[in-house]
Amino acid sequence: MTSVVLEFSGGLELLVDGKKRLEQEVPDKLTLGGLIGWIRSNLIKERHELFSQGQRIRPGVLVLINDVDWELEGKETYNLSSGDCISFISTLHGG
Amino acid sequence: MKSPWGELQELKGASTAQEEENGVRQAFSNDVLERYSRQMLLLRFGVEGQKRLSQKSVLVIGAGGLGCPAAMYLASAGVGRLGLLDRGDSVDRSNLHRQIGHTDASVGADKCLSLRDSLMRINPGSSICTLSTGITAKFALQLILPFDIVLDCTDNVESRYIISDACAALRKPLVSGSAIGFEGQLSVYCDSEESPCYRCIFPSPPPPDCVGSCDTAGVLGPVPGVIGTMQAVEALKLAAEIEGAEVCSRRMVLYDGLSCETRVIRLRSRSKTCRACGNPEDSSQRIVNPAEFDYGSFTLAGSCATPQSTDQGRLRATALLDKGRLKDALCIDVRPKEQFDMCSIGGFQNIPITKLSKELITIQNRVGDKEIILICRRGVDSATAVSMMRKAGIENATDVIGGLDAWRQECNPEFPTY
Ligand SMILES: [Zn+2]
C-alpha cells in the first residue's frame, strides 16, 4: 500500500463525512486517475456524481498535486508516490 | 453602439494644487493630501501612486458581500472612477450581516444606490457611476470597456463566465473573488500575457446542482469580507501600479475561516486552446464577443439533478391546512438541520436529504400504509427525496410544490422568511 494525504474542500468534504484531511493507505502503483476512481468507490458513500464520473473528476473541481495545479503535472496520468498530498477543491461561486 | 453607461466624464485625476502659491510647493490640494496621506506615506506608493490611482477607473460587479467591502476600500482610497453594477436587487434584511455597505434604513432600496450613498458618505469627492442592470452577455463588452480594472463580486456561475470572457476579449485585468460558508477564494485573471482567464482554469462549468449559494448554504459574514477586502488590495496594486507588487495571478488564495488556514496554490498559465483567450483548434469555438455565446445552455449542461417531470401527484401547500391529513401522515422536512431548527411546521420531523438514504429502511418499516408528506424550502430537494423513496420501493410519498415558500405565500404569512 502507498500512503498519501487526501484533502477535500469547497464543500467536497461533505462527501467524505465532513473530513477535510485524510491520511490514507491506497493501492500501490495508482495513477491520479486511478486514485479518483478508488476514492469514488471506497470513500464516497452517496452522490458519487458530485465527485467524478468514473476516473474523470467533475467540472468545477481543482485538483492539486502537492499544492500545484495538476495541469502542470500530467493530470490523470500522474503516478502517485508515497507521501503525496492530493487536494480536491470545489470552486466557490457565492458572493 | 452607445455605451450603456451614457456619457462618462473624462478622468480628471486628483486635484493638483497650483505650484508655488504663497511660497509653498505641494503635490495635491490640502484636502487630498490629508485624506490619502497614510497610503502616500508608503514607500512604494507615494505621490505618484496616488496620481495613477486617481486616473484609473475600476468596475465592481455585484454590490453584495464581496462588492461592499471592495467598493468601500476603493472609494476611500481615491480611485478616479468607480462603477457599480448590480442586477437591480433590493437590500434585504438577511443581507446585512455581510453586505456592510448597506444599512437597516436602506432595506428595500436598490443595492447600487444604497452602496453609492455609503461610499459618498465615506468619501464625498468620489466619482461613482451605477447601473442596476447586472452584467449581461449582450452588453458585457460595452459595460466593461470604459474601465481599467474589473472586480467580479457576483454570486453565480453564468456571470463569472460572462465577465471573464469579456475581460479576456478586452484584455482587462479581472480580480475575482468568491465565498460561501466559511470558505473564500481569490484570483486575478487576464492581467498579463501569460495570465490565464477563468475559462482557462475552468473550461467546463460545474453541474448546476453542485453550486451552493449564500442564500441556501449560509455564509459567515466576515468571510466574504476577507475576500472582498483582498480584492480591493489587488485592485489597488494594479491601479496604483505599485512597484514590486506581485498580483495574485496564476495563483489562487484559498481561505478557510473555520480552521483559520490560508493557502496559496499555483495555477496553470494561459491555455493556448482556451475558447476565450486562446486559439481553439476549431476556430468557430472561439468566443469573440460574449453576446454571441449561449451562457444559459452552457451553464445548464451536465446537470445531474433528477429531472422534474410534472407536478402530478404533488401537493399544493394548501393541502397542509388539513390537520387531520397531517396527523395521519408521516411528515418529513428534508432541509438541513440548521434551517429546520430556525423554523418549521408543527408535526414535521427533520431528516435532512443528505441523511435520507441511510434512513430509508427505517422509514419503510415504520410507515406501513401511511402517507408520507415531504417538504423543503422551495420544493426542489423534496421532489428529489420523493424519487429516492420511489426507487427504494416506498410508493406512498408525496411532496409540497414550492415548499415552505409556498406555505408562507398561500397559507401562513407569519411563517418566517430567512
Ligand atoms: Zn482563457
Side-chain angles (χ1 to χ4, degrees), chain B residues 197 199-200 274 276-277:
Chain B
C197 74
R199 203 182 272 273
C200 288
C274 173
C277 74

Side-chain angles (χ1 to χ4, degrees), chain B residues 5 60 71 82-86 112 115-116 119 128-131:
Chain B
W5 293 101
V60 175
L82 203 54
L84 302 177
L85 192 57
D86 193 275
C112 277
L115 180 54
R116 187 189 62 188
L119 303 182
I128 297 168
C129 47
T130 64
L131 264 184

Side-chain angles (χ1 to χ4, degrees), chain B residues 8-15 28 32 35-36 39 45 48-60 71 73-84 119-120 123-129 146-149 235-236 238-240:
Chain B
L8 290 173
Q9 279 183 352
E10 220 171 296
L11 285 173
K12 289 196 298 281
S15 61
F28 297 114
V32 170
R35 183 178 295 275
Y36 307 118
Q39 69 196 27
F45 201 98
E48 292 308 313
Q50 193 65 44
K51 277 188 187 155
R52 287 191 288 268
L53 190 59
S54 70
Q55 283 155 1
K56 295 283 166 50
S57 54
V58 181
L59 175 61
V60 175
Y73 277 114
L74 291 173
S76 28
V79 167
R81 174 164 47 237
L82 203 54
L84 302 177
L119 303 182
M120 293 307 284
N123 189 349
S126 307
S127 162
I128 297 168
C129 47
F147 295 90
D148 298 308
I149 298 161
L236 289 176
L238 288 162

Side-chain angles (χ1 to χ4, degrees), chain B residues 63-115:
Chain B
L66 299 163
C68 281
M72 288 162 89
Y73 277 114
L74 291 173
S76 28
V79 167
R81 174 164 47 237
L82 203 54
L84 302 177
L85 192 57
D86 193 275
R87 62 179 163 226
D89 285 354
S90 50
V91 178
D92 191 271
R93 198 161 270 117
S94 68
N95 299 147
L96 298 179
H97 86 299
R98 66 187 188 284
Q99 302 185 11
I100 53 166
H102 309 301
T103 60
D104 199 72
S106 57
V107 167
D110 179 279
K111 275 192 186 174
C112 277
L113 300 181
S114 159
L115 180 54

Side-chain angles (χ1 to χ4, degrees), chain A:
Chain A
M1 297 294 266
T2 304
S3 113
V4 293
V5 175
L6 304 176
E7 294 182 327
F8 301 89
S9 67
L12 288 176
E13 69 277 9
L14 300 175
L15 301 176
V16 286
D17 287 337
K19 294 197 187 79
K20 293 202 158 189
R21 188 184 158 89
L22 284 172
E23 287 180 24
Q24 187 68 48
E25 300 280 308
V26 299
D28 288 326
K29 299 222 162 94
L30 276 184
T31 61
L32 192 36
L35 175 72
I36 290 168
W38 185 88
I39 292 173
R40 181 184 162 97
S41 322
N42 292 278
L43 298 182
I44 295 179
K45 302 283 182 280
E46 53 191 48
R47 308 188 77 192
H48 297 86
E49 73 284 358
L50 298 187
F51 184 68
S52 75
Q53 299 281 351
Q55 302 200 350
R56 289 192 52 205
I57 201 77
R58 84 148 158 83
V61 175
L62 268 179
V63 184
L64 308 181
I65 303 169
N66 302 318
D67 270 359
V68 175
D69 188 344
W70 73 335
E71 282 272 341
L72 304 171
E73 307 272 355
K75 299 179 76 171
E76 287 96 342
T77 61
Y78 174 84
N79 292 307
L80 275 189
S81 309
S82 183
D84 276 347
C85 174
I86 310 297
S87 317
F88 299 94
I89 299 157
S90 179
T91 50
L92 311 175
H93 299 282

